[in-house]
mmCIF file of all heavy atoms in Angstrom:
data_model
loop_
_atom_site.group_PDB
_atom_site.id
_atom_site.type_symbol
_atom_site.label_atom_id
_atom_site.label_comp_id
_atom_site.label_asym_id
_atom_site.label_seq_id
_atom_site.Cartn_x
_atom_site.Cartn_y
_atom_site.Cartn_z
ATOM 1 N N GLU A 1 -6.892 -13.547 -10.649
ATOM 2 C CA GLU A 1 -6.290 -12.507 -11.480
ATOM 3 C C GLU A 1 -6.709 -11.116 -11.001
ATOM 4 O O GLU A 1 -5.897 -10.181 -10.946
ATOM 5 C CB GLU A 1 -6.700 -12.704 -12.939
ATOM 6 C CG GLU A 1 -6.180 -11.643 -13.904
ATOM 7 C CD GLU A 1 -4.664 -11.640 -14.036
ATOM 8 O OE1 GLU A 1 -4.025 -12.639 -13.629
ATOM 9 O OE2 GLU A 1 -4.129 -10.638 -14.539
ATOM 10 N N GLU A 2 -7.981 -10.993 -10.636
ATOM 11 C CA GLU A 2 -8.474 -9.715 -10.131
ATOM 12 C C GLU A 2 -7.755 -9.333 -8.836
ATOM 13 O O GLU A 2 -7.377 -8.181 -8.635
ATOM 14 C CB GLU A 2 -9.980 -9.807 -9.889
ATOM 15 C CG GLU A 2 -10.605 -8.497 -9.431
ATOM 16 C CD GLU A 2 -12.104 -8.617 -9.232
ATOM 17 O OE1 GLU A 2 -12.658 -9.692 -9.519
ATOM 18 O OE2 GLU A 2 -12.707 -7.628 -8.774
ATOM 19 N N GLN A 3 -7.552 -10.337 -7.970
ATOM 20 C CA GLN A 3 -6.846 -10.087 -6.711
ATOM 21 C C GLN A 3 -5.393 -9.695 -6.960
ATOM 22 O O GLN A 3 -4.848 -8.813 -6.295
ATOM 23 C CB GLN A 3 -6.907 -11.349 -5.830
ATOM 24 C CG GLN A 3 -6.352 -11.186 -4.427
ATOM 25 C CD GLN A 3 -7.162 -10.213 -3.594
ATOM 26 O OE1 GLN A 3 -8.354 -10.051 -3.816
ATOM 27 N NE2 GLN A 3 -6.523 -9.539 -2.658
ATOM 28 N N ARG A 4 -4.778 -10.371 -7.959
ATOM 29 C CA ARG A 4 -3.380 -10.082 -8.278
ATOM 30 C C ARG A 4 -3.230 -8.656 -8.817
ATOM 31 O O ARG A 4 -2.318 -7.918 -8.430
ATOM 32 C CB ARG A 4 -2.861 -11.082 -9.312
ATOM 33 C CG ARG A 4 -1.375 -10.953 -9.629
ATOM 34 C CD ARG A 4 -0.962 -11.945 -10.698
ATOM 35 N NE ARG A 4 -1.599 -11.646 -11.962
ATOM 36 C CZ ARG A 4 -1.169 -10.713 -12.808
ATOM 37 N NH1 ARG A 4 -0.103 -9.984 -12.518
ATOM 38 N NH2 ARG A 4 -1.806 -10.496 -13.954
ATOM 39 N N VAL A 5 -4.146 -8.257 -9.703
ATOM 40 C CA VAL A 5 -4.114 -6.897 -10.251
ATOM 41 C C VAL A 5 -4.315 -5.875 -9.150
ATOM 42 O O VAL A 5 -3.640 -4.842 -9.091
ATOM 43 C CB VAL A 5 -5.190 -6.726 -11.346
ATOM 44 C CG1 VAL A 5 -5.321 -5.266 -11.764
ATOM 45 C CG2 VAL A 5 -4.853 -7.595 -12.556
ATOM 46 N N LEU A 6 -5.249 -6.186 -8.232
ATOM 47 C CA LEU A 6 -5.503 -5.285 -7.113
ATOM 48 C C LEU A 6 -4.269 -5.166 -6.227
ATOM 49 O O LEU A 6 -3.899 -4.074 -5.790
ATOM 50 C CB LEU A 6 -6.697 -5.789 -6.294
ATOM 51 C CG LEU A 6 -7.087 -4.947 -5.071
ATOM 52 C CD1 LEU A 6 -7.474 -3.539 -5.512
ATOM 53 C CD2 LEU A 6 -8.225 -5.601 -4.309
ATOM 54 N N GLN A 7 -3.619 -6.327 -5.991
ATOM 55 C CA GLN A 7 -2.404 -6.323 -5.162
ATOM 56 C C GLN A 7 -1.303 -5.505 -5.819
ATOM 57 O O GLN A 7 -0.614 -4.732 -5.153
ATOM 58 C CB GLN A 7 -1.930 -7.777 -4.959
ATOM 59 C CG GLN A 7 -0.661 -7.921 -4.125
ATOM 60 C CD GLN A 7 -0.941 -7.745 -2.649
ATOM 61 O OE1 GLN A 7 -2.099 -7.714 -2.251
ATOM 62 N NE2 GLN A 7 0.094 -7.607 -1.849
ATOM 63 N N GLN A 8 -1.147 -5.668 -7.134
ATOM 64 C CA GLN A 8 -0.131 -4.899 -7.852
ATOM 65 C C GLN A 8 -0.441 -3.408 -7.790
ATOM 66 O O GLN A 8 0.453 -2.572 -7.679
ATOM 67 C CB GLN A 8 -0.055 -5.346 -9.313
ATOM 68 C CG GLN A 8 0.658 -6.670 -9.511
ATOM 69 C CD GLN A 8 0.779 -7.020 -10.980
ATOM 70 O OE1 GLN A 8 0.054 -6.495 -11.822
ATOM 71 N NE2 GLN A 8 1.681 -7.923 -11.287
ATOM 72 N N SER A 9 -1.717 -3.069 -7.866
ATOM 73 C CA SER A 9 -2.115 -1.672 -7.784
ATOM 74 C C SER A 9 -1.762 -1.085 -6.430
ATOM 75 O O SER A 9 -1.260 0.034 -6.337
ATOM 76 C CB SER A 9 -3.623 -1.549 -8.028
ATOM 77 O OG SER A 9 -4.049 -0.218 -7.857
ATOM 78 N N VAL A 10 -1.992 -1.870 -5.368
ATOM 79 C CA VAL A 10 -1.654 -1.413 -4.012
ATOM 80 C C VAL A 10 -0.154 -1.264 -3.867
ATOM 81 O O VAL A 10 0.349 -0.268 -3.341
ATOM 82 C CB VAL A 10 -2.213 -2.387 -2.955
ATOM 83 C CG1 VAL A 10 -1.711 -2.011 -1.574
ATOM 84 C CG2 VAL A 10 -3.732 -2.386 -2.983
ATOM 85 N N VAL A 11 0.591 -2.266 -4.385
ATOM 86 C CA VAL A 11 2.050 -2.227 -4.316
ATOM 87 C C VAL A 11 2.580 -1.017 -5.057
ATOM 88 O O VAL A 11 3.466 -0.308 -4.578
ATOM 89 C CB VAL A 11 2.654 -3.527 -4.894
ATOM 90 C CG1 VAL A 11 4.145 -3.366 -5.132
ATOM 91 C CG2 VAL A 11 2.407 -4.688 -3.947
ATOM 92 N N LYS A 12 2.023 -0.757 -6.243
ATOM 93 C CA LYS A 12 2.457 0.386 -7.026
ATOM 94 C C LYS A 12 2.209 1.679 -6.264
ATOM 95 O O LYS A 12 3.025 2.597 -6.282
ATOM 96 C CB LYS A 12 1.701 0.401 -8.366
ATOM 97 C CG LYS A 12 2.144 1.511 -9.303
ATOM 98 C CD LYS A 12 3.599 1.340 -9.682
ATOM 99 C CE LYS A 12 4.023 2.422 -10.651
ATOM 100 N NZ LYS A 12 5.450 2.368 -10.959
ATOM 101 N N THR A 13 1.067 1.717 -5.541
ATOM 102 C CA THR A 13 0.771 2.897 -4.735
ATOM 103 C C THR A 13 1.841 3.105 -3.680
ATOM 104 O O THR A 13 2.321 4.209 -3.453
ATOM 105 C CB THR A 13 -0.607 2.747 -4.066
ATOM 106 O OG1 THR A 13 -1.598 2.568 -5.066
ATOM 107 C CG2 THR A 13 -0.944 3.981 -3.245
ATOM 108 N N TYR A 14 2.226 2.026 -3.009
ATOM 109 C CA TYR A 14 3.284 2.132 -2.011
ATOM 110 C C TYR A 14 4.586 2.608 -2.637
ATOM 111 O O TYR A 14 5.281 3.455 -2.091
ATOM 112 C CB TYR A 14 3.543 0.760 -1.349
ATOM 113 C CG TYR A 14 2.373 0.231 -0.542
ATOM 114 C CD1 TYR A 14 2.219 -1.137 -0.333
ATOM 115 C CD2 TYR A 14 1.427 1.092 0.008
ATOM 116 C CE1 TYR A 14 1.153 -1.631 0.406
ATOM 117 C CE2 TYR A 14 0.358 0.603 0.744
ATOM 118 C CZ TYR A 14 0.220 -0.759 0.943
ATOM 119 O OH TYR A 14 -0.816 -1.236 1.661
ATOM 120 N N GLU A 15 4.916 2.040 -3.814
ATOM 121 C CA GLU A 15 6.193 2.378 -4.452
ATOM 122 C C GLU A 15 6.255 3.847 -4.846
ATOM 123 O O GLU A 15 7.324 4.448 -4.853
ATOM 124 C CB GLU A 15 6.398 1.501 -5.691
ATOM 125 C CG GLU A 15 6.703 0.037 -5.355
ATOM 126 C CD GLU A 15 6.882 -0.790 -6.608
ATOM 127 O OE1 GLU A 15 6.433 -0.349 -7.680
ATOM 128 O OE2 GLU A 15 7.459 -1.883 -6.502
ATOM 129 N N ASP A 16 5.097 4.401 -5.192
ATOM 130 C CA ASP A 16 5.065 5.800 -5.617
ATOM 131 C C ASP A 16 5.125 6.780 -4.457
ATOM 132 O O ASP A 16 5.331 7.973 -4.661
ATOM 133 C CB ASP A 16 3.783 6.068 -6.422
ATOM 134 C CG ASP A 16 3.836 5.406 -7.796
ATOM 135 O OD1 ASP A 16 4.962 5.086 -8.236
ATOM 136 O OD2 ASP A 16 2.780 5.200 -8.397
ATOM 137 N N MET A 17 4.937 6.271 -3.236
ATOM 138 C CA MET A 17 4.897 7.160 -2.075
ATOM 139 C C MET A 17 6.292 7.417 -1.512
ATOM 140 O O MET A 17 7.146 6.547 -1.546
ATOM 141 C CB MET A 17 4.018 6.545 -0.969
ATOM 142 C CG MET A 17 2.545 6.565 -1.257
ATOM 143 S SD MET A 17 1.601 5.943 0.151
ATOM 144 C CE MET A 17 -0.067 6.098 -0.468
ATOM 145 N N THR A 18 6.453 8.601 -0.993
ATOM 146 C CA THR A 18 7.674 8.907 -0.244
ATOM 147 C C THR A 18 7.499 8.419 1.182
ATOM 148 O O THR A 18 6.405 8.009 1.599
ATOM 149 C CB THR A 18 7.931 10.422 -0.237
ATOM 150 O OG1 THR A 18 6.854 11.065 0.465
ATOM 151 C CG2 THR A 18 8.012 10.982 -1.646
ATOM 152 N N LEU A 19 8.586 8.459 1.958
ATOM 153 C CA LEU A 19 8.501 8.058 3.367
ATOM 154 C C LEU A 19 7.482 8.920 4.107
ATOM 155 O O LEU A 19 6.727 8.427 4.955
ATOM 156 C CB LEU A 19 9.879 8.175 4.024
ATOM 157 C CG LEU A 19 10.918 7.137 3.598
ATOM 158 C CD1 LEU A 19 12.265 7.468 4.218
ATOM 159 C CD2 LEU A 19 10.490 5.736 3.999
ATOM 160 N N GLU A 20 7.449 10.213 3.805
ATOM 161 C CA GLU A 20 6.515 11.110 4.470
ATOM 162 C C GLU A 20 5.071 10.769 4.115
ATOM 163 O O GLU A 20 4.183 10.779 4.982
ATOM 164 C CB GLU A 20 6.806 12.564 4.082
ATOM 165 C CG GLU A 20 8.136 13.113 4.585
ATOM 166 C CD GLU A 20 9.323 12.635 3.768
ATOM 167 O OE1 GLU A 20 9.103 12.024 2.687
ATOM 168 O OE2 GLU A 20 10.462 12.857 4.208
ATOM 169 N N GLU A 21 4.806 10.427 2.841
ATOM 170 C CA GLU A 21 3.450 10.069 2.429
ATOM 171 C C GLU A 21 2.994 8.773 3.068
ATOM 172 O O GLU A 21 1.819 8.616 3.422
ATOM 173 C CB GLU A 21 3.392 9.962 0.904
ATOM 174 C CG GLU A 21 3.491 11.305 0.194
ATOM 175 C CD GLU A 21 3.660 11.163 -1.305
ATOM 176 O OE1 GLU A 21 4.139 10.108 -1.757
ATOM 177 O OE2 GLU A 21 3.306 12.114 -2.009
ATOM 178 N N LEU A 22 3.906 7.816 3.209
ATOM 179 C CA LEU A 22 3.562 6.579 3.902
ATOM 180 C C LEU A 22 3.153 6.860 5.344
ATOM 181 O O LEU A 22 2.199 6.278 5.862
ATOM 182 C CB LEU A 22 4.754 5.609 3.868
ATOM 183 C CG LEU A 22 5.054 4.956 2.521
ATOM 184 C CD1 LEU A 22 6.343 4.145 2.611
ATOM 185 C CD2 LEU A 22 3.908 4.063 2.081
ATOM 186 N N GLU A 23 3.879 7.763 5.980
ATOM 187 C CA GLU A 23 3.549 8.136 7.361
ATOM 188 C C GLU A 23 2.172 8.797 7.416
ATOM 189 O O GLU A 23 1.353 8.496 8.287
ATOM 190 C CB GLU A 23 4.610 9.109 7.896
ATOM 191 C CG GLU A 23 6.010 8.519 7.987
ATOM 192 C CD GLU A 23 6.255 7.789 9.286
ATOM 193 O OE1 GLU A 23 5.356 7.825 10.146
ATOM 194 O OE2 GLU A 23 7.323 7.184 9.441
ATOM 195 N N ASP A 24 1.889 9.714 6.478
ATOM 196 C CA ASP A 24 0.639 10.472 6.496
ATOM 197 C C ASP A 24 -0.578 9.581 6.261
ATOM 198 O O ASP A 24 -1.670 9.847 6.793
ATOM 199 C CB ASP A 24 0.673 11.582 5.433
ATOM 200 C CG ASP A 24 1.710 12.654 5.760
ATOM 201 O OD1 ASP A 24 2.117 12.736 6.936
ATOM 202 O OD2 ASP A 24 2.113 13.384 4.831
ATOM 203 N N ASN A 25 -0.411 8.529 5.420
ATOM 204 C CA ASN A 25 -1.545 7.667 5.067
ATOM 205 C C ASN A 25 -1.617 6.394 5.902
ATOM 206 O O ASN A 25 -2.399 5.495 5.588
ATOM 207 C CB ASN A 25 -1.461 7.292 3.575
ATOM 208 C CG ASN A 25 -1.698 8.483 2.668
ATOM 209 O OD1 ASN A 25 -2.829 8.859 2.397
ATOM 210 N ND2 ASN A 25 -0.619 9.090 2.207
ATOM 211 N N GLU A 26 -0.838 6.333 6.942
ATOM 212 C CA GLU A 26 -0.725 5.110 7.742
ATOM 213 C C GLU A 26 -2.076 4.671 8.310
ATOM 214 O O GLU A 26 -2.368 3.478 8.387
ATOM 215 C CB GLU A 26 0.270 5.349 8.884
ATOM 216 C CG GLU A 26 0.739 4.080 9.567
ATOM 217 C CD GLU A 26 1.916 4.343 10.490
ATOM 218 O OE1 GLU A 26 2.205 5.512 10.770
ATOM 219 O OE2 GLU A 26 2.523 3.361 10.935
ATOM 220 N N ASP A 27 -2.946 5.615 8.711
ATOM 221 C CA ASP A 27 -4.222 5.271 9.345
ATOM 222 C C ASP A 27 -5.215 4.649 8.372
ATOM 223 O O ASP A 27 -6.205 4.036 8.800
ATOM 224 C CB ASP A 27 -4.852 6.526 9.966
ATOM 225 C CG ASP A 27 -4.009 7.069 11.114
ATOM 226 O OD1 ASP A 27 -3.219 6.273 11.682
ATOM 227 O OD2 ASP A 27 -4.117 8.269 11.428
ATOM 228 N N GLU A 28 -4.975 4.810 7.074
ATOM 229 C CA GLU A 28 -5.926 4.315 6.082
ATOM 230 C C GLU A 28 -5.677 2.859 5.693
ATOM 231 O O GLU A 28 -6.465 2.288 4.950
ATOM 232 C CB GLU A 28 -5.856 5.192 4.822
ATOM 233 C CG GLU A 28 -6.185 6.653 5.072
ATOM 234 C CD GLU A 28 -6.088 7.482 3.813
ATOM 235 O OE1 GLU A 28 -6.005 6.869 2.719
ATOM 236 O OE2 GLU A 28 -6.089 8.716 3.907
ATOM 237 N N PHE A 29 -4.606 2.240 6.169
ATOM 238 C CA PHE A 29 -4.266 0.891 5.758
ATOM 239 C C PHE A 29 -4.652 -0.132 6.828
ATOM 240 O O PHE A 29 -4.588 0.147 8.031
ATOM 241 C CB PHE A 29 -2.764 0.786 5.484
ATOM 242 C CG PHE A 29 -2.293 1.731 4.404
ATOM 243 C CD1 PHE A 29 -1.319 2.690 4.680
ATOM 244 C CD2 PHE A 29 -2.811 1.660 3.137
ATOM 245 C CE1 PHE A 29 -0.903 3.563 3.696
ATOM 246 C CE2 PHE A 29 -2.386 2.530 2.147
ATOM 247 C CZ PHE A 29 -1.428 3.481 2.430
ATOM 248 N N ASN A 30 -5.023 -1.337 6.375
ATOM 249 C CA ASN A 30 -5.342 -2.416 7.312
ATOM 250 C C ASN A 30 -4.072 -3.153 7.716
ATOM 251 O O ASN A 30 -2.956 -2.752 7.355
ATOM 252 C CB ASN A 30 -6.370 -3.374 6.695
ATOM 253 C CG ASN A 30 -5.863 -3.986 5.385
ATOM 254 O OD1 ASN A 30 -4.665 -4.203 5.221
ATOM 255 N ND2 ASN A 30 -6.775 -4.243 4.461
ATOM 256 N N GLU A 31 -4.258 -4.282 8.439
ATOM 257 C CA GLU A 31 -3.089 -5.001 8.980
ATOM 258 C C GLU A 31 -2.191 -5.532 7.870
ATOM 259 O O GLU A 31 -0.959 -5.458 7.958
ATOM 260 C CB GLU A 31 -3.577 -6.159 9.868
ATOM 261 C CG GLU A 31 -2.448 -6.896 10.568
ATOM 262 C CD GLU A 31 -2.966 -7.969 11.505
ATOM 263 O OE1 GLU A 31 -4.154 -7.929 11.874
ATOM 264 O OE2 GLU A 31 -2.171 -8.859 11.849
ATOM 265 N N GLU A 32 -2.797 -6.052 6.799
ATOM 266 C CA GLU A 32 -2.000 -6.570 5.687
ATOM 267 C C GLU A 32 -1.265 -5.432 4.986
ATOM 268 O O GLU A 32 -0.103 -5.563 4.590
ATOM 269 C CB GLU A 32 -2.915 -7.295 4.700
ATOM 270 C CG GLU A 32 -2.152 -7.984 3.565
ATOM 271 C CD GLU A 32 -3.070 -8.792 2.674
ATOM 272 O OE1 GLU A 32 -4.222 -9.038 3.085
ATOM 273 O OE2 GLU A 32 -2.623 -9.167 1.584
ATOM 274 N N ASP A 33 -1.945 -4.300 4.859
ATOM 275 C CA ASP A 33 -1.310 -3.127 4.271
ATOM 276 C C ASP A 33 -0.127 -2.664 5.106
ATOM 277 O O ASP A 33 0.906 -2.251 4.577
ATOM 278 C CB ASP A 33 -2.312 -1.969 4.148
ATOM 279 C CG ASP A 33 -3.404 -2.250 3.123
ATOM 280 O OD1 ASP A 33 -3.121 -3.012 2.182
ATOM 281 O OD2 ASP A 33 -4.504 -1.727 3.281
ATOM 282 N N GLU A 34 -0.290 -2.729 6.421
ATOM 283 C CA GLU A 34 0.767 -2.277 7.332
ATOM 284 C C GLU A 34 2.053 -3.067 7.115
ATOM 285 O O GLU A 34 3.149 -2.504 7.133
ATOM 286 C CB GLU A 34 0.310 -2.422 8.786
ATOM 287 C CG GLU A 34 -0.731 -1.415 9.226
ATOM 288 C CD GLU A 34 -0.161 -0.018 9.340
ATOM 289 O OE1 GLU A 34 1.075 0.124 9.396
ATOM 290 O OE2 GLU A 34 -0.955 0.938 9.351
ATOM 291 N N ARG A 35 1.895 -4.379 6.897
ATOM 292 C CA ARG A 35 3.091 -5.209 6.660
ATOM 293 C C ARG A 35 3.768 -4.796 5.366
ATOM 294 O O ARG A 35 4.999 -4.705 5.289
ATOM 295 C CB ARG A 35 2.702 -6.688 6.619
ATOM 296 C CG ARG A 35 2.344 -7.270 7.973
ATOM 297 C CD ARG A 35 2.325 -8.788 7.933
ATOM 298 N NE ARG A 35 1.278 -9.307 7.058
ATOM 299 C CZ ARG A 35 0.039 -9.591 7.459
ATOM 300 N NH1 ARG A 35 -0.298 -9.399 8.729
ATOM 301 N NH2 ARG A 35 -0.857 -10.063 6.614
ATOM 302 N N ALA A 36 2.953 -4.556 4.337
ATOM 303 C CA ALA A 36 3.516 -4.126 3.050
ATOM 304 C C ALA A 36 4.165 -2.753 3.179
ATOM 305 O O ALA A 36 5.241 -2.500 2.634
ATOM 306 C CB ALA A 36 2.420 -4.097 1.983
ATOM 307 N N ILE A 37 3.504 -1.864 3.939
ATOM 308 C CA ILE A 37 4.052 -0.522 4.135
ATOM 309 C C ILE A 37 5.397 -0.588 4.835
ATOM 310 O O ILE A 37 6.347 0.105 4.453
ATOM 311 C CB ILE A 37 3.075 0.348 4.966
ATOM 312 C CG1 ILE A 37 1.860 0.708 4.123
ATOM 313 C CG2 ILE A 37 3.745 1.618 5.458
ATOM 314 C CD1 ILE A 37 0.752 1.369 4.910
#
C-alpha cells in the first residue's frame, strides 16, 4: 500500500507537469521514472 501511494504520488507529479517541466526535471528521474515520463 505504501508503494502504491508512493507510485500514485509520482504519477500525479508527472500529470501536473508541462512538457517543458518534464524536460527540465529529466536528470532527477531514474530508469523507471524515465519510462513513466
Side-chain angles (χ1 to χ4, degrees):
E1 178 65 16
E2 183 179 356
Q3 187 65 28
R4 185 182 66 81
V5 171
L6 180 61
Q7 179 77 11
Q8 284 184 341
S9 176
V10 173
V11 167
K12 184 62 178 175
T13 301
Y14 295 155
E15 289 179 341
D16 288 341
M17 288 184 180
T18 64
L19 289 174
E20 293 78 10
E21 289 171 336
L22 288 174
E23 297 274 355
D24 293 341
N25 292 278
E26 195 169 12
D27 295 338
E28 300 179 13
F29 301 121
N30 59 32
E31 185 176 342
E32 185 175 346
D33 292 332
E34 287 290 343
R35 288 195 295 270
I37 288 171

